[in-house]
Amino acid sequence: MTEGKNLPHSSADVPFRSKEQRKQSLIQHTGLVGVIDEGTKTIGFSIYTTPDFREIAAHRVELSVITPQDGWYEQDPLEMMASINKCAEEAIKQLPDEGFSASDIATIGITNQRETTIVWDAVTGKPLYNALLWKDIRTSTTVEQIVAKVQDPNHFRSTTGLPISTYFSALKIRWLRDNVPEVRQAIRESRCKAGTVDSWIVWNLTNGALHITDVTNASRTLLMNLETQNWDPVLLKTFGIKESMLPTIHSCSEIFGKVTSERSPLRGMTLSGIMGNQQASLLGQMCVKPGQTKNTYRSGCFLLCNTGDKPVFSRHGLLTTVAYKLGPQAPTIYAIEGAVSVAGHALSWLQTKMRILPDSRDAEKYAEMVPTSGDVYFVPAFTGLYAPYWRQNARGIIIGLTQFTRKNHIVRAALESICFQTRDILECMHQECGYEINKLHADGKLTTNNLLMQLQADTIGLPVFRSQLMDSTAFGAAMCAAQAEGVNLCQFDPEKRYYENVHYDTFLATTTDVERKERYGKWKRAVERSLGWVIKQKKTREHTEENYRMLSSLPASIFLISSFAMLVHSLAASGH
């Protein structure tokens, strides 16, 4: 395996500076930027210097997930705010060690899990229900109702870039209206507010003075028109949602207001940046030109490809979304997005369910014990296959087993499955947007696995640039907030050759075109064998095994009943 190395003259056109060069660079710090990073599993607060964006303080806490029943995922909005305040307080305590204080924080940016939806009482400021997470599927029936109404799950794709799906906020708001009496009552009395997590955070930080969102989060609601970047009247009517409930849509980067909450350690600080987390990661990876693409490797994967100032509408089920808009007068930049639903989750499954791995973090060590996967292929279609296949009837398979197969081969095949699924989406992105994709930027927890990164380069035949930040989301949000007009801590320049904290490990392909074609062809064959596994049973008059057991017991039952009746009759007769 080739270890990742910084290659200053690589063909990928990514800037690098040696440590010596960086030491010689004398930076005059102009102020600090704080970032609230609200994810699905963790909440953090990071503080960066400018203009070099060096993280000098940070604190993170776990965020609990509530699962009332299978497929339902909720979080406590009040816990979110308490965690944000705690993280900010702890991070600020670290500043004196770096020679700074809270007064040096010039502005605040926010990045958040997308689609997750919260409704609250505008009078009391209290949530009317728990936050419904992006992956919550309780709205399946609502989706069916809306699709039946418009006759096509892609009916609004040309307007929103999205299909009608359980993912998006419109369906969650509609479900809350239909199923939670407190929400319905608040809507009738015009005191219900609804929004994504960023809106809830800003509302609380400003004591209800601001009810806003940005275009990246709004583009994930299934309610925003991509062209006008306003709430669409037809969509609002279709989902039965009042516009007065929703936040005002802004750009990602502008001065929104100041933190006024007495509960917040950030009181008095300016708010100037909001971005959805995957878009912030795209910006943090410096994917600022059309065709530049990033993949975030976690339990699933999120791939985004910058398509420039024109939205590209996919024919293969990829999502069209706003990448960023760095100012009210700045151009809107779009992206297409694809997701791998099972990536790191496959390794967790091998650990917890199959007991093949003692610890999913040991996957690299186990996989490196064999030179190849031994022609074993693992298609982790646990709940079907998503883009570009969109086959809900697929199920997971491990194929190619022989008497010589060891658990190490299966672990390696699991890592390769992440790479093959990524290639599936990259091929679609290239076809859809028409831009040449000549490298892949990588971040996320799984990227610490060097073998995975090398396998990814070998699978796609492109350089993989792993950000040494591991998670570039907070950096993207920091840059977004710092460059806002009126803040001016830095000047965002797509042509800039380097940023002080943006360093990469580079993994170059070591396979030939022939080898890649053969391996990818076998992956496709494995995928074909996973399709059509779930067959919906039609209601027929055929009896189930249980029915047969019941029927077979009838003669004996009749015999016993008739015998008892005859006995009673004979006793009665003898009595006479």
Side-chain angles (χ1 to χ4, degrees):
M1 186 194 72
T2 303
E3 290 288 332
K5 297 178 181 178
N6 282 345
L7 301 175
H9 304 295
S10 80
S11 60
D13 191 31
V14 172
F16 298 97
R17 311 182 81 204
S18 68
K19 287 184 179 179
E20 289 72 20
Q21 287 175 310
R22 293 197 296 271
K23 286 177 182 176
Q24 291 168 8
S25 178
L26 299 175
I27 302 296
Q28 183 65 45
H29 294 131
T30 55
L32 304 180
V33 184
V35 175
I36 297 169
D37 186 354
E38 193 284 328
T40 307
K41 294 182 179 179
T42 61
I43 284 180
F45 188 80
S46 302
I47 303 173
Y48 293 86
T49 57
T50 59
D52 57 334
F53 292 100
R54 182 172 61 92
E55 185 182 79
I56 57 170
H59 189 78
R60 293 173 180 82
V61 296
E62 295 287 322
L63 190 61
S64 56
V65 177
I66 304 161
T67 52
Q69 54 182 283
D70 190 35
W72 290 32
Y73 298 94
E74 302 175 1
Q75 284 175 328
D76 181 355
L78 297 178
E79 182 189 348
M80 287 181 185
M81 292 311 305
S83 298
I84 288 168
N85 291 338
K86 176 68 174 175
C87 289
E89 182 181 348
E90 293 299 321
I92 289 171
K93 286 180 182 178
Q94 301 168 26
L95 288 178
D97 293 340
E98 298 290 333
F100 296 98
S101 67
S103 61
D104 293 313
I105 300 176
T107 194
I108 303 294
I110 298 169
T111 182
N112 58 283
Q113 55 174 310
R114 305 168 304 166
E115 297 108 13
T116 294
T117 303
I118 303 173
V119 290
W120 65 93
D121 190 318
V123 177
T124 66
K126 299 288 178 64
L128 295 165
Y129 198 80
N130 280 335
L132 299 190
L133 265 61
W134 54 273
K135 59 183 178 180
D136 186 288
I137 60 170
R138 75 186 68 189
T139 58
S140 297
T141 304
T142 310
V143 169
E144 291 171 3
Q145 292 169 352
I146 299 295
V147 170
K149 190 175 179 180
V150 300
Q151 298 297 307
D152 180 8
N154 291 307
H155 183 76
F156 299 119
R157 190 178 279 274
S158 61
T159 306
T160 65
L162 309 173
I164 300 169
S165 165
T166 57
Y167 257 48
F168 306 114
S169 307
L171 282 305
K172 301 179 193 299
I173 297 172
R174 176 62 181 265
W175 186 92
L176 289 162
R177 189 202 76 175
D178 292 346
N179 294 277
V180 182
E182 293 84 356
V183 174
R184 201 157 48 246
Q185 180 73 14
I187 291 173
R188 277 199 297 266
E189 296 174 2
S190 299
R191 55 183 174 83
C192 180
K193 296 297 180 185
T196 42
V197 175
D198 57 303
S199 299
W200 167 248
I201 293 172
V202 172
W203 173 278
N204 279 272
L205 292 179
T206 62
N207 286 324
L210 292 176
H211 187 32
I212 62 173
T213 189
D214 83 297
V215 284
T216 65
N217 280 292
S219 71
R220 311 295 294 191
T221 60
L222 199 61
L223 293 171
M224 189 190 87
N225 186 305
L226 279 178
E227 184 178 352
T228 66
Q229 288 160 40
N230 291 315
W231 304 122
D232 190 281
V234 174
L235 294 166
L236 294 173
K237 184 176 180 181
T238 301
F239 292 102
I241 296 170
K242 294 180 179 180
E243 186 172 356
S244 58
M245 295 168 55
L246 300 175
T248 305
I249 302 173
H250 288 256
S251 75
C252 304
S253 182
E254 58 184 271
I255 293 178
F256 305 114
K258 287 189 178 292
V259 177
T260 55
S261 171
E262 293 183 357
R263 296 180 180 179
S264 176
L266 309 176
R267 189 180 182 194
M269 298 179 191
T270 300
L271 292 169
S272 64
I274 303 174
M275 293 188 82
N277 56 4
Q278 296 305 323
Q279 286 93 332
S281 172
L282 186 77
L283 185 63
Q285 286 275 26
M286 299 308 298
C287 295
V288 295
K289 294 182 180 179
Q292 292 184 330
T293 305
K294 73 92 188 176
N295 191 10
T296 298
Y297 295 79
R298 293 176 180 166
S299 59
C301 291
F302 292 93
L303 286 91
L304 272 76
C305 175
N306 186 318
T307 61
D309 58 4
K310 296 284 191 300
V312 173
F313 295 96
S314 173
R315 302 180 305 278
H316 296 89
L318 302 180
L319 306 179
T320 306
T321 193
V322 175
Y324 53 84
K325 180 179 173 67
L326 298 179
Q329 305 307 317
T332 302
I333 304 300
Y334 296 90
I336 51 174
E337 177 176 338
V340 173
S341 61
V342 179
H345 180 56
L347 302 176
S348 300
W349 179 78
L350 290 178
Q351 175 191 340
T352 59
K353 304 296 184 184
M354 301 302 290
R355 310 290 184 186
I356 287 177
L357 268 174
D359 191 321
S360 59
R361 290 171 294 187
D362 293 332
E364 180 175 10
K365 181 177 73 175
Y366 272 72
E368 279 190 316
M369 290 179 180
V370 289
T372 70
S373 66
D375 234 16
V376 173
Y377 290 80
F378 180 5
V379 183
F382 297 149
T383 57
L385 286 170
Y386 297 87
Y389 304 102
W390 297 106
R391 294 288 294 271
Q392 298 303 304
N393 62 6
R395 284 299 178 267
I397 63 168
I398 298 175
I399 196 168
L401 301 176
T402 71
Q403 61 181 325
F404 302 108
T405 301
R406 294 156 46 191
K407 60 185 178 183
N408 309 79
H409 294 108
I410 295 172
V411 173
R412 193 174 181 109
L415 292 178
E416 289 181 349
S417 75
I418 300 170
C419 304
F420 285 127
Q421 290 177 93
T422 297
R423 176 168 173 174
D424 285 337
I425 294 175
L426 285 174
E427 300 244 334
C428 276
M429 286 180 166
H430 173 62
Q431 293 172 25
E432 302 277 20
C433 70
Y435 294 110
E436 191 66 36
I437 299 173
N438 62 8
K439 60 183 177 289
L440 178 65
H441 293 262
D443 67 355
K445 287 184 179 179
L446 270 186
T447 60
T448 57
N449 187 317
N450 288 327
L451 178 59
L452 174 64
M453 294 292 94
Q454 187 58 54
L455 289 172
Q456 186 66 86
D458 289 342
T459 302
I460 61 178
L462 299 174
V464 172
F465 286 84
R466 177 178 64 190
S467 170
Q468 291 181 5
L469 294 172
M470 295 306 164
D471 193 338
S472 52
T473 303
F475 166 53
M479 190 159 53
C480 172
Q483 71 92 55
E485 186 176 350
V487 176
N488 304 326
L489 291 178
C490 76
Q491 184 174 357
F492 175 73
D493 181 5
E495 303 299 326
K496 187 171 181 177
R497 294 292 297 169
Y498 65 85
Y499 282 84
E500 288 293 324
N501 71 327
V502 181
H503 314 302
Y504 298 90
D505 299 318
T506 308
F507 296 82
L508 301 178
T510 59
T511 53
T512 65
D513 287 341
V514 173
E515 290 169 335
R516 285 192 292 274
K517 186 176 181 180
E518 180 185 356
R519 296 277 292 147
Y520 190 53
K522 285 188 176 181
W523 162 258
K524 287 289 193 181
R525 286 166 57 197
V527 168
E528 285 174 13
R529 284 157 174 77
S530 76
L531 303 178
W533 190 256
V534 177
I535 301 173
K536 289 187 178 179
Q537 298 291 333
K538 295 181 180 179
K539 293 182 179 180
T540 68
R541 293 185 178 180
E542 294 179 7
H543 299 299
T544 63
E545 185 179 347
E546 186 178 350
N547 289 343
Y548 280 121
R549 282 201 303 268
M550 183 184 72
L551 289 170
S552 65
S553 69
L554 283 178
S557 302
I558 293 171
F559 173 79
L560 290 171
I561 293 169
S562 60
S563 298
F564 180 73
M566 289 172 65
L567 177 62
V568 171
H569 179 70
S570 64
L571 289 173
S574 64
H576 287 299

